[in-house]
Amino acid sequence: MTLSSPLWAAVAALAIGTAALWTNPRRRMNRVLTYVSAYVTFWLVLRHVIVVFPGDLRWMRVAWIASGLFPVGIWLVRDTILRPHVRLIARLGAVRFWWLFPAATSGVALSSWAFTNDGFGSVVYGPGYYTMLFGAIGAQLLLAGTTFRKLRGQIGARRLEMQLLILGGVTAVCFAHGLLGLSVYLGDASLGRTMPLVFVALFGGMVWSLLTTRLLDARHIVTIVVEKAVLVAGVTVFVWGIQQLSLQFFAEWLSYGLSIALGLWFATEVRPWLQEVSQRKTAGEKVRRDAYEIGRRDLPPEAMEAEFVRLLTSWADCERAVILMASQGRLVGGGIEWPLDQPEFKLLHSLRWVTPERLDRGRPRPHGQALKNRLSEGRFGAIVVSGGPSLAFVIALSVPRSCQPYSFPRILKLIALETIIESSLSRAHYVAKVQHAEKLATVGVLGASIAHEIRNPLVSIKTFVQLLPGHYQEQAFRDKFFRLIGDEVGRIDRLTEQLMDLSAPRVLVPKDTDLHELLAASLDLISSKAEDRSVALIRDFEPQLSSVFVDPSAVKQVVMNLAFNAIQAQEHQPSDRWVKFSTRQNANGVELAISDNGPGIAGEVWERLFQPFQTTKSSGFGLGLAICKDILSSLHASITADPPASGCGATFRIILPCQPPTT
């Protein structure tokens, strides 16, 4: 038995048709592609018979009559894309115009105008042969033109499938007939032997792209093919040039090895550049960088989730993006609650990602229709889930505004984004829980101190209330009573306000900030109070200073708090009152030192200085420094106080970051 390239191609076409039917026998597209694959198998078998009996014109005529049916086959696939619910019999009746091509091809193939036998076993090709070739290619181009016109009114998966039909099916038929013509015209039999393999590769690619659950975009495929072709051509020319040059200096084996090594290096260097030129990598890298930037920011979980939702809707160009997280047996988020005990969610977890097109194209699965109903109810075009042992994190995107489905390359990018988003939100929730636990612990520690601070003014108020009935007629008593009530209530109000500042969550927005400009604005606000207390404000700024990555309002609050403390600490000092602000660049960032000429910090207080309710002032509560430390910790900054020294005032040192923190 003769094994020829058409025979191998026929076996491949038969396997393609069998796989198409096995994938989803209920889907009409799969059945139509199975019929077309059977026709292609028959045509390739005829090409094999021509190879076995090269001079037998009967088989050549039958093969060309069969090739005239290619426009009908491609039209059937196109019509199935446009009208997926029409039965095959009704579809064959609607072919009409396209039946003219097999009829015309049959008429030419049966005449001696196409080819004759020269009497010595060789075939003589006449004008009719080339007429059939150009007619077959022209029919495919006409079919491609009408398909392009119909593309304008199509949206969604149908549009992509019609593009793939042109890219795979029409190109395969045109390429096959072009190689047949060149083989005869140039007298090169190798082109004829290559044709079946190239044809079945293109045809198989078309069938796979129309049936795979991984929806493909024709533009993406063309971009990759052109990119690879340019890369292969460039590397080939580079290797050839290196080899020709190195042969002048080295032995042949060394020249060969050197050219291969440099060729691999050249391919590694050029490939990223080609991806950047084709913009195939740029968009994906940008959205990943944006996701990482959001994850690095110290945001509460709710604010971070809102930022990620905005990023997803912008990237996908859709109206709605929902992030759902498992909570008490349900997936909750974006106003949606899905019970995890439903069987369709087990299917979703096993698939990892799902689109309506994947469910339509794939082999029927139990609970697949229920999952498709979930997509339809939420008007979702894609859902991806975390890859853990349980379904704990889900991202759902609505259909894009362009109505185009999510292609598989975009799904891969969405899966990468899902990993980043899940990691960032999990960390944010963990940090929030830790902070909440710390605040609860702080409440326990502060309970006694708060009770003591509030009890003192309440005792004073209670005492005067008890004495009020017996001394109400005394004007001096009433004046003292009203004054005391106001003072003590104000004291409780200030304590409550500072406690809220300490415990309330802050939403800080760090950005690059000029520290000297920030300090100048802060000093303008405290200069009047400093003048009233005869306190000089001294600036000692380093000229060349890096910008700091902080929240300007929060740092201004810290600076003013420390400055007011320094001014108040020098109230009883007769002269030489000053507060000095110094900036220095160091290895960890920028250091801001605030020092004064007051009495300094007592040794027993210094060790607990930044704990709540630690103060030496009669009018304070000792919460200011605790609030400052809390603010700076949220900004990844630090604050320390120099150890007490005899005859020296207090010095506080703040280290501010110059770059965003890395996770």
Side-chain angles (χ1 to χ4, degrees), residues 139-370:
Q140 295 301 317
L141 294 178
L142 179 61
L143 189 59
T146 57
T147 304
F148 269 119
R149 284 202 302 271
K150 291 183 178 294
L151 268 176
R152 298 173 184 173
Q154 300 301 319
I155 59 175
R158 292 181 181 178
R159 184 180 182 88
L160 295 182
E161 288 173 347
M162 291 175 71
Q163 292 173 349
L164 293 169
L165 175 66
I166 297 172
L167 180 64
V170 173
T171 303
V173 177
C174 290
F175 205 84
H177 287 85
L179 284 178
L180 286 176
L182 287 174
S183 175
V184 173
Y185 182 76
L186 299 176
D188 188 351
S190 63
L191 293 176
R193 291 192 295 269
T194 305
M195 181 276 296
L197 301 177
V198 174
F199 172 80
V200 81
L202 292 172
F203 175 75
M206 180 200 73
V207 173
W208 179 78
S209 63
L210 291 176
L211 299 184
T212 179
T213 56
R214 301 176 175 183
L215 194 64
L216 299 176
D217 186 348
R219 293 181 181 178
H220 185 78
I221 294 174
V222 171
T223 300
I224 293 177
V225 170
V226 172
E227 180 185 307
K228 299 299 183 185
V230 171
L231 180 63
V232 170
V235 171
T236 302
V237 172
F238 180 81
V239 169
W240 178 83
I242 292 295
Q243 187 177 20
Q244 295 300 313
L245 181 63
S246 59
L247 281 173
Q248 307 296 323
F249 306 97
F250 306 109
E252 184 176 354
W253 65 270
L254 185 58
S255 171
Y256 180 78
L258 180 63
S259 60
I260 293 297
L262 291 177
L264 292 174
W265 167 82
F266 181 76
T268 304
E269 294 295 322
V270 170
R271 184 181 178 185
W273 177 78
L274 286 175
Q275 291 179 342
E276 186 175 348
V277 169
S278 64
Q279 296 184 346
R280 189 165 64 89
K281 189 177 180 181
T282 307
E285 289 294 333
K286 182 180 183 303
V287 72
R288 276 196 292 270
R289 284 197 302 269
D290 292 343
Y292 277 122
E293 286 300 322
I294 294 173
R296 288 192 183 103
R297 292 160 61 183
D298 289 309
L299 297 174
E302 296 78 10
M304 183 176 289
E305 182 177 333
E307 289 292 325
F308 279 128
V309 166
R310 279 193 286 271
L311 176 68
L312 289 169
T313 53
S314 174
W315 169 75
D317 190 27
C318 63
E319 295 181 356
R320 187 184 183 200
V322 179
I323 298 175
L324 301 102
M325 302 184 73
S327 175
Q328 298 179 350
R330 291 176 174 271
L331 285 171
V332 181
I336 295 176
E337 288 191 12
W338 285 343
L340 284 172
D341 57 355
Q342 297 299 313
E344 61 265 26
F345 293 111
K346 294 181 180 178
L347 174 61
L348 175 62
H349 185 235
S350 66
L351 293 176
R352 181 72 196 279
W353 63 272
V354 67
T355 61
E357 293 75 25
R358 183 179 191 183
L359 295 175
D360 286 337
R361 290 184 172 194
R363 195 172 182 82
R365 299 171 181 266
H367 315 297
Q369 186 59 44

Side-chain angles (χ1 to χ4, degrees), residues 62 115 140 238 330 394 430 465 494 507 549 553 656:
V62 173
F115 26 69
Q140 295 301 317
F238 180 81
R330 291 176 174 271
V394 173
Y430 176 75
V465 169
R494 289 194 301 274
V507 179
F549 191 76
S553 299
L656 300 171

Side-chain angles (χ1 to χ4, degrees), residues 49 91 107 131 133 170 178 224 264 295 319 322 340 359 389 422 438 440-441 443 447 504 557 587 638:
V49 174
R91 208 183 300 278
T131 301
L133 282 174
V170 173
I224 293 177
L264 292 174
E319 295 181 356
V322 179
L340 284 172
L359 295 175
E422 181 186 13
E438 290 179 350
L440 290 178
V443 168
Q557 178 183 346
S638 63

Side-chain angles (χ1 to χ4, degrees), residues 18-41:
T18 304
L21 187 63
W22 178 84
T23 302
N24 191 349
R26 299 180 184 178
R27 187 169 176 241
R28 292 189 187 276
M29 174 60 77
N30 293 58
R31 295 202 294 267
V32 168
L33 287 174
T34 299
Y35 302 147
V36 174
S37 298
Y39 156 69
V40 169
T41 302

Side-chain angles (χ1 to χ4, degrees), residues 423-454:
S423 174
S424 300
L425 285 177
S426 298
R427 182 182 61 84
H429 279 285
Y430 176 75
V431 171
K433 289 179 180 178
V434 170
Q435 290 177 346
H436 181 65
E438 290 179 350
K439 291 185 186 299
L440 290 178
T442 302
V443 168
V445 173
L446 300 183
S449 299
I450 294 172
H452 175 74
E453 293 292 341
I454 294 179

Side-chain angles (χ1 to χ4, degrees), residues 405-426:
Y406 291 95
S407 61
F408 185 63
R410 299 194 76 193
I411 291 293
L412 290 179
K413 293 176 183 176
L414 183 57
I415 291 174
L417 285 176
E418 181 272 332
T419 303
I420 299 171
I421 293 172
E422 181 186 13
S423 174
S424 300
L425 285 177
S426 298

